[in-house]
mmCIF file with all atom_site columns, all heavy atoms in Angstrom:
data_model
loop_
_atom_site.group_PDB
_atom_site.id
_atom_site.type_symbol
_atom_site.label_atom_id
_atom_site.label_alt_id
_atom_site.label_comp_id
_atom_site.label_asym_id
_atom_site.label_entity_id
_atom_site.label_seq_id
_atom_site.pdbx_PDB_ins_code
_atom_site.Cartn_x
_atom_site.Cartn_y
_atom_site.Cartn_z
_atom_site.occupancy
_atom_site.B_iso_or_equiv
_atom_site.pdbx_formal_charge
_atom_site.auth_seq_id
_atom_site.auth_comp_id
_atom_site.auth_asym_id
_atom_site.auth_atom_id
_atom_site.pdbx_PDB_model_num
ATOM 1   N N   . SER A 1 2   ? -47.301 31.723 -24.605 1.00 0.00 ? 2   SER A N   1
ATOM 2   C CA  . SER A 1 2   ? -48.525 32.167 -25.285 1.00 0.00 ? 2   SER A CA  1
ATOM 3   C C   . SER A 1 2   ? -49.462 30.990 -25.626 1.00 0.00 ? 2   SER A C   1
ATOM 4   O O   . SER A 1 2   ? -50.684 31.077 -25.421 1.00 0.00 ? 2   SER A O   1
ATOM 5   C CB  . SER A 1 2   ? -48.183 32.904 -26.581 1.00 0.00 ? 2   SER A CB  1
ATOM 6   O OG  . SER A 1 2   ? -47.439 32.029 -27.396 1.00 0.00 ? 2   SER A OG  1
ATOM 7   N N   . MET A 1 48  ? -56.556 3.951  -49.108 1.00 0.00 ? 48  MET A N   1
ATOM 8   C CA  . MET A 1 48  ? -56.927 5.064  -49.942 1.00 0.00 ? 48  MET A CA  1
ATOM 9   C C   . MET A 1 48  ? -57.273 4.604  -51.361 1.00 0.00 ? 48  MET A C   1
ATOM 10  O O   . MET A 1 48  ? -56.921 3.490  -51.706 1.00 0.00 ? 48  MET A O   1
ATOM 11  C CB  . MET A 1 48  ? -55.761 6.065  -49.988 1.00 0.00 ? 48  MET A CB  1
ATOM 12  C CG  . MET A 1 48  ? -55.281 6.521  -48.622 1.00 0.00 ? 48  MET A CG  1
ATOM 13  S SD  . MET A 1 48  ? -56.589 7.268  -47.592 1.00 0.00 ? 48  MET A SD  1
ATOM 14  C CE  . MET A 1 48  ? -56.574 8.949  -48.232 1.00 0.00 ? 48  MET A CE  1
ATOM 15  N N   . HIS A 1 77  ? -61.014 17.219 -38.491 1.00 0.00 ? 77  HIS A N   1
ATOM 16  C CA  . HIS A 1 77  ? -60.370 18.489 -38.801 1.00 0.00 ? 77  HIS A CA  1
ATOM 17  C C   . HIS A 1 77  ? -58.855 18.315 -38.776 1.00 0.00 ? 77  HIS A C   1
ATOM 18  O O   . HIS A 1 77  ? -58.317 17.594 -37.904 1.00 0.00 ? 77  HIS A O   1
ATOM 19  C CB  . HIS A 1 77  ? -60.780 19.538 -37.770 1.00 0.00 ? 77  HIS A CB  1
ATOM 20  C CG  . HIS A 1 77  ? -60.550 20.937 -38.258 1.00 0.00 ? 77  HIS A CG  1
ATOM 21  N ND1 . HIS A 1 77  ? -59.346 21.578 -38.078 1.00 0.00 ? 77  HIS A ND1 1
ATOM 22  C CD2 . HIS A 1 77  ? -61.392 21.830 -38.857 1.00 0.00 ? 77  HIS A CD2 1
ATOM 23  C CE1 . HIS A 1 77  ? -59.433 22.782 -38.638 1.00 0.00 ? 77  HIS A CE1 1
ATOM 24  N NE2 . HIS A 1 77  ? -60.638 22.974 -39.090 1.00 0.00 ? 77  HIS A NE2 1
ATOM 25  N N   . THR A 1 93  ? -70.146 18.260 -21.159 1.00 0.00 ? 93  THR A N   1
ATOM 26  C CA  . THR A 1 93  ? -70.587 17.816 -19.840 1.00 0.00 ? 93  THR A CA  1
ATOM 27  C C   . THR A 1 93  ? -71.460 18.875 -19.174 1.00 0.00 ? 93  THR A C   1
ATOM 28  O O   . THR A 1 93  ? -72.543 18.614 -18.585 1.00 0.00 ? 93  THR A O   1
ATOM 29  C CB  . THR A 1 93  ? -69.388 17.474 -18.909 1.00 0.00 ? 93  THR A CB  1
ATOM 30  O OG1 . THR A 1 93  ? -68.529 16.576 -19.639 1.00 0.00 ? 93  THR A OG1 1
ATOM 31  C CG2 . THR A 1 93  ? -69.801 16.838 -17.609 1.00 0.00 ? 93  THR A CG2 1
ATOM 32  N N   . GLY A 1 182 ? -83.903 6.936  -38.825 1.00 0.00 ? 182 GLY A N   1
ATOM 33  C CA  . GLY A 1 182 ? -84.017 7.148  -37.361 1.00 0.00 ? 182 GLY A CA  1
ATOM 34  C C   . GLY A 1 182 ? -83.642 8.538  -36.885 1.00 0.00 ? 182 GLY A C   1
ATOM 35  O O   . GLY A 1 182 ? -83.503 8.737  -35.676 1.00 0.00 ? 182 GLY A O   1
ATOM 36  N N   . SER A 1 184 ? -84.358 12.574 -36.077 1.00 0.00 ? 184 SER A N   1
ATOM 37  C CA  . SER A 1 184 ? -85.547 13.188 -35.451 1.00 0.00 ? 184 SER A CA  1
ATOM 38  C C   . SER A 1 184 ? -86.054 14.351 -36.227 1.00 0.00 ? 184 SER A C   1
ATOM 39  O O   . SER A 1 184 ? -85.284 15.084 -36.899 1.00 0.00 ? 184 SER A O   1
ATOM 40  C CB  . SER A 1 184 ? -85.201 13.655 -34.000 1.00 0.00 ? 184 SER A CB  1
ATOM 41  O OG  . SER A 1 184 ? -86.321 14.306 -33.432 1.00 0.00 ? 184 SER A OG  1
ATOM 42  N N   . ILE A 1 217 ? -78.975 40.185 -36.327 1.00 0.00 ? 217 ILE A N   1
ATOM 43  C CA  . ILE A 1 217 ? -78.430 38.826 -36.381 1.00 0.00 ? 217 ILE A CA  1
ATOM 44  C C   . ILE A 1 217 ? -77.107 38.895 -37.116 1.00 0.00 ? 217 ILE A C   1
ATOM 45  O O   . ILE A 1 217 ? -77.032 39.255 -38.299 1.00 0.00 ? 217 ILE A O   1
ATOM 46  C CB  . ILE A 1 217 ? -79.395 37.884 -37.084 1.00 0.00 ? 217 ILE A CB  1
ATOM 47  C CG1 . ILE A 1 217 ? -80.666 37.749 -36.227 1.00 0.00 ? 217 ILE A CG1 1
ATOM 48  C CG2 . ILE A 1 217 ? -78.792 36.502 -37.329 1.00 0.00 ? 217 ILE A CG2 1
ATOM 49  C CD1 . ILE A 1 217 ? -81.771 37.033 -36.828 1.00 0.00 ? 217 ILE A CD1 1
ATOM 50  N N   . GLY A 1 254 ? -87.557 47.367 -39.536 1.00 0.00 ? 254 GLY A N   1
ATOM 51  C CA  . GLY A 1 254 ? -87.735 45.906 -39.619 1.00 0.00 ? 254 GLY A CA  1
ATOM 52  C C   . GLY A 1 254 ? -87.573 45.389 -41.025 1.00 0.00 ? 254 GLY A C   1
ATOM 53  O O   . GLY A 1 254 ? -87.995 46.059 -41.994 1.00 0.00 ? 254 GLY A O   1
ATOM 54  N N   . LEU A 1 260 ? -86.117 38.048 -46.824 1.00 0.00 ? 260 LEU A N   1
ATOM 55  C CA  . LEU A 1 260 ? -84.671 38.113 -46.647 1.00 0.00 ? 260 LEU A CA  1
ATOM 56  C C   . LEU A 1 260 ? -84.051 36.687 -46.699 1.00 0.00 ? 260 LEU A C   1
ATOM 57  O O   . LEU A 1 260 ? -83.023 36.504 -47.353 1.00 0.00 ? 260 LEU A O   1
ATOM 58  C CB  . LEU A 1 260 ? -84.308 38.787 -45.323 1.00 0.00 ? 260 LEU A CB  1
ATOM 59  C CG  . LEU A 1 260 ? -82.798 38.932 -45.059 1.00 0.00 ? 260 LEU A CG  1
ATOM 60  C CD1 . LEU A 1 260 ? -82.151 39.859 -46.121 1.00 0.00 ? 260 LEU A CD1 1
ATOM 61  C CD2 . LEU A 1 260 ? -82.541 39.508 -43.674 1.00 0.00 ? 260 LEU A CD2 1
ATOM 62  N N   . VAL A 1 261 ? -84.715 35.731 -46.074 1.00 0.00 ? 261 VAL A N   1
ATOM 63  C CA  . VAL A 1 261 ? -84.242 34.361 -46.118 1.00 0.00 ? 261 VAL A CA  1
ATOM 64  C C   . VAL A 1 261 ? -84.264 33.877 -47.564 1.00 0.00 ? 261 VAL A C   1
ATOM 65  O O   . VAL A 1 261 ? -83.307 33.292 -48.041 1.00 0.00 ? 261 VAL A O   1
ATOM 66  C CB  . VAL A 1 261 ? -85.102 33.440 -45.219 1.00 0.00 ? 261 VAL A CB  1
ATOM 67  C CG1 . VAL A 1 261 ? -84.772 31.968 -45.480 1.00 0.00 ? 261 VAL A CG1 1
ATOM 68  C CG2 . VAL A 1 261 ? -84.902 33.790 -43.750 1.00 0.00 ? 261 VAL A CG2 1
ATOM 69  N N   . GLY A 1 272 ? -77.539 43.269 -50.920 1.00 0.00 ? 272 GLY A N   1
ATOM 70  C CA  . GLY A 1 272 ? -78.348 43.538 -52.129 1.00 0.00 ? 272 GLY A CA  1
ATOM 71  C C   . GLY A 1 272 ? -79.825 43.390 -51.878 1.00 0.00 ? 272 GLY A C   1
ATOM 72  O O   . GLY A 1 272 ? -80.608 43.527 -52.798 1.00 0.00 ? 272 GLY A O   1
ATOM 73  N N   . ASP A 1 328 ? -66.858 40.532 -19.048 1.00 0.00 ? 328 ASP A N   1
ATOM 74  C CA  . ASP A 1 328 ? -66.860 41.388 -17.868 1.00 0.00 ? 328 ASP A CA  1
ATOM 75  C C   . ASP A 1 328 ? -67.395 42.754 -18.214 1.00 0.00 ? 328 ASP A C   1
ATOM 76  O O   . ASP A 1 328 ? -68.190 43.349 -17.464 1.00 0.00 ? 328 ASP A O   1
ATOM 77  C CB  . ASP A 1 328 ? -65.466 41.491 -17.235 1.00 0.00 ? 328 ASP A CB  1
ATOM 78  C CG  . ASP A 1 328 ? -64.989 40.114 -16.719 1.00 0.00 ? 328 ASP A CG  1
ATOM 79  O OD1 . ASP A 1 328 ? -65.878 39.277 -16.428 1.00 0.00 ? 328 ASP A OD1 1
ATOM 80  O OD2 . ASP A 1 328 ? -63.790 39.876 -16.678 1.00 0.00 ? 328 ASP A OD2 1
ATOM 81  N N   . VAL A 1 335 ? -75.405 44.587 -19.933 1.00 0.00 ? 335 VAL A N   1
ATOM 82  C CA  . VAL A 1 335 ? -75.896 43.835 -21.077 1.00 0.00 ? 335 VAL A CA  1
ATOM 83  C C   . VAL A 1 335 ? -76.095 42.406 -20.619 1.00 0.00 ? 335 VAL A C   1
ATOM 84  O O   . VAL A 1 335 ? -75.183 41.799 -20.041 1.00 0.00 ? 335 VAL A O   1
ATOM 85  C CB  . VAL A 1 335 ? -74.858 43.865 -22.239 1.00 0.00 ? 335 VAL A CB  1
ATOM 86  C CG1 . VAL A 1 335 ? -75.383 43.075 -23.451 1.00 0.00 ? 335 VAL A CG1 1
ATOM 87  C CG2 . VAL A 1 335 ? -74.604 45.312 -22.662 1.00 0.00 ? 335 VAL A CG2 1
ATOM 88  N N   . LEU A 1 342 ? -75.787 27.608 -22.891 1.00 0.00 ? 342 LEU A N   1
ATOM 89  C CA  . LEU A 1 342 ? -77.220 27.559 -22.610 1.00 0.00 ? 342 LEU A CA  1
ATOM 90  C C   . LEU A 1 342 ? -78.008 27.901 -23.884 1.00 0.00 ? 342 LEU A C   1
ATOM 91  O O   . LEU A 1 342 ? -78.910 27.197 -24.281 1.00 0.00 ? 342 LEU A O   1
ATOM 92  C CB  . LEU A 1 342 ? -77.549 28.560 -21.491 1.00 0.00 ? 342 LEU A CB  1
ATOM 93  C CG  . LEU A 1 342 ? -79.028 28.864 -21.257 1.00 0.00 ? 342 LEU A CG  1
ATOM 94  C CD1 . LEU A 1 342 ? -79.760 27.594 -20.867 1.00 0.00 ? 342 LEU A CD1 1
ATOM 95  C CD2 . LEU A 1 342 ? -79.211 29.907 -20.119 1.00 0.00 ? 342 LEU A CD2 1
ATOM 96  N N   . GLN A 1 372 ? -91.496 19.713 -26.001 1.00 0.00 ? 372 GLN A N   1
ATOM 97  C CA  . GLN A 1 372 ? -90.511 19.129 -25.088 1.00 0.00 ? 372 GLN A CA  1
ATOM 98  C C   . GLN A 1 372 ? -89.265 20.050 -24.993 1.00 0.00 ? 372 GLN A C   1
ATOM 99  O O   . GLN A 1 372 ? -88.685 20.259 -23.943 1.00 0.00 ? 372 GLN A O   1
ATOM 100 C CB  . GLN A 1 372 ? -90.083 17.751 -25.509 1.00 0.00 ? 372 GLN A CB  1
ATOM 101 C CG  . GLN A 1 372 ? -91.159 16.691 -25.482 1.00 0.00 ? 372 GLN A CG  1
ATOM 102 C CD  . GLN A 1 372 ? -91.574 16.330 -24.042 1.00 0.00 ? 372 GLN A CD  1
ATOM 103 O OE1 . GLN A 1 372 ? -90.851 16.619 -23.106 1.00 0.00 ? 372 GLN A OE1 1
ATOM 104 N NE2 . GLN A 1 372 ? -92.755 15.755 -23.891 1.00 0.00 ? 372 GLN A NE2 1
ATOM 105 N N   . LEU A 1 373 ? -88.885 20.577 -26.154 1.00 0.00 ? 373 LEU A N   1
ATOM 106 C CA  . LEU A 1 373 ? -87.715 21.452 -26.226 1.00 0.00 ? 373 LEU A CA  1
ATOM 107 C C   . LEU A 1 373 ? -87.966 22.737 -25.397 1.00 0.00 ? 373 LEU A C   1
ATOM 108 O O   . LEU A 1 373 ? -87.106 23.171 -24.625 1.00 0.00 ? 373 LEU A O   1
ATOM 109 C CB  . LEU A 1 373 ? -87.367 21.808 -27.647 1.00 0.00 ? 373 LEU A CB  1
ATOM 110 C CG  . LEU A 1 373 ? -86.171 22.740 -27.910 1.00 0.00 ? 373 LEU A CG  1
ATOM 111 C CD1 . LEU A 1 373 ? -84.855 22.094 -27.368 1.00 0.00 ? 373 LEU A CD1 1
ATOM 112 C CD2 . LEU A 1 373 ? -85.995 23.071 -29.384 1.00 0.00 ? 373 LEU A CD2 1
ATOM 113 N N   . LYS A 1 382 ? -84.543 29.426 -16.502 1.00 0.00 ? 382 LYS A N   1
ATOM 114 C CA  . LYS A 1 382 ? -85.010 29.887 -15.210 1.00 0.00 ? 382 LYS A CA  1
ATOM 115 C C   . LYS A 1 382 ? -84.013 29.595 -14.090 1.00 0.00 ? 382 LYS A C   1
ATOM 116 O O   . LYS A 1 382 ? -83.696 30.408 -13.246 1.00 0.00 ? 382 LYS A O   1
ATOM 117 C CB  . LYS A 1 382 ? -86.364 29.303 -14.890 1.00 0.00 ? 382 LYS A CB  1
ATOM 118 C CG  . LYS A 1 382 ? -87.518 29.973 -15.643 1.00 0.00 ? 382 LYS A CG  1
ATOM 119 C CD  . LYS A 1 382 ? -88.837 29.434 -15.240 1.00 0.00 ? 382 LYS A CD  1
ATOM 120 C CE  . LYS A 1 382 ? -89.958 30.232 -15.906 1.00 0.00 ? 382 LYS A CE  1
ATOM 121 N NZ  . LYS A 1 382 ? -91.213 29.470 -15.948 1.00 0.00 ? 382 LYS A NZ  1
ATOM 122 N N   . VAL A 1 404 ? -71.911 22.506 -13.010 1.00 0.00 ? 404 VAL A N   1
ATOM 123 C CA  . VAL A 1 404 ? -70.852 21.864 -12.223 1.00 0.00 ? 404 VAL A CA  1
ATOM 124 C C   . VAL A 1 404 ? -71.466 21.286 -10.944 1.00 0.00 ? 404 VAL A C   1
ATOM 125 O O   . VAL A 1 404 ? -71.180 20.146 -10.532 1.00 0.00 ? 404 VAL A O   1
ATOM 126 C CB  . VAL A 1 404 ? -69.709 22.841 -11.895 1.00 0.00 ? 404 VAL A CB  1
ATOM 127 C CG1 . VAL A 1 404 ? -68.723 22.260 -10.938 1.00 0.00 ? 404 VAL A CG1 1
ATOM 128 C CG2 . VAL A 1 404 ? -69.013 23.279 -13.186 1.00 0.00 ? 404 VAL A CG2 1
ATOM 129 N N   . GLY A 1 415 ? -70.928 8.008  -4.947  1.00 0.00 ? 415 GLY A N   1
ATOM 130 C CA  . GLY A 1 415 ? -69.911 7.629  -3.997  1.00 0.00 ? 415 GLY A CA  1
ATOM 131 C C   . GLY A 1 415 ? -68.504 7.694  -4.561  1.00 0.00 ? 415 GLY A C   1
ATOM 132 O O   . GLY A 1 415 ? -67.557 7.101  -4.048  1.00 0.00 ? 415 GLY A O   1
#
Side-chain angles (χ1 to χ4, degrees):
Chain A
S2 59
M48 306 302 277
H77 199 275
T93 309
S184 176
I217 295 171
L260 182 63
V261 169
D328 296 335
V335 179
L342 169 61
Q372 295 290 343
L373 179 62
K382 283 184 173 159
V404 173

